[in-house]
Amino acid sequence: RVTVDNTSDMTATLVKVDSANKYGTLLEVVQVLTDLKLTINRAYISSDGEWFMDVFHVVDEEGNKLYDGQVIDRIEQSLGAGSLSFRGTDRCVGVEAEAEAAQTVIELIGRDRPGLLSEVFAVLTNLKCNIAASEVWTHDGRMAALMYVTDAETGGGIEEPERLDTVK
């Protein structure tokens, strides 16, 4: 369900999206709004695991509320029932030990989706890895990340081939 509300906020149009929580939904909503050349000034994202309700405070290119009926119709059509694709995930994972830095570098490349980074960090934590640093990039539904991890017990890089395979 998509609602475009021009009365609740004096400075922005509220776009409210209620939907089943499927991978990639939040990103696709943001992409639709961005493709319409709208600026998201603020967003409230909430989910109970199965459902989400997101509220986006958006303005046009000049910083004004949305009054153009065609833009509002396009938002409702683009985000309405059955319009989001929930694309599959193409992915690539690389793991490389860097002994000189006493860290292991993990490179991830693939489709972005809400919660992906959180899940990756949870997996690494369960594998007894400390995340020393990370760099993440997203664009047009894709993501790339570099994570620098150490062994939680030794504090050094992960060098054993079997353990590197497990992390990968």
Side-chain angles (χ1 to χ4, degrees), residues 76-148:
E76 292 172 340
Q77 290 171 358
S78 297
L79 299 177
S83 62
L84 299 175
S85 69
F86 310 119
R87 295 173 279 220
T89 57
D90 299 332
R91 61 190 172 115
C92 175
V93 178
V95 178
E96 182 178 319
E98 287 197 1
E100 65 192 27
Q103 296 177 340
T104 301
V105 179
I106 298 173
E107 178 183 350
L108 301 174
I109 301 169
R111 282 234 186 257
D112 195 12
R113 62 176 169 76
L116 177 62
L117 195 57
S118 177
E119 289 177 26
V120 169
F121 287 168
V123 167
L124 291 172
T125 299
N126 286 338
L127 292 172
K128 300 200 181 331
C129 296
N130 283 331
I131 296 108
S134 87
E135 299 171 55
V136 180
W137 302 269
T138 62
H139 178 40
D140 197 25
R142 305 284 302 160
M143 65 80 62
L146 290 175
M147 283 167 271
Y148 302 87

Side-chain angles (χ1 to χ4, degrees), residues 1-2 16-33 40 45-47 49-54 56 78-89 111-116 141:
R1 182 177 61 202
V2 177
K16 301 174 185 178
V17 182
D18 297 306
S19 177
N21 192 8
K22 303 215 180 197
Y23 290 130
T25 304
L26 177 60
L27 180 62
E28 288 193 45
V29 170
V30 170
Q31 285 177 331
V32 165
L33 296 174
I40 301 169
I45 312 299
S46 60
S47 171
E50 293 182 33
W51 293 93
F52 73 82
M53 186 184 94
D54 300 338
F56 300 90
S78 297
L79 299 177
S83 62
L84 299 175
S85 69
F86 310 119
R87 295 173 279 220
T89 57
R111 282 234 186 257
D112 195 12
R113 62 176 169 76
L116 177 62

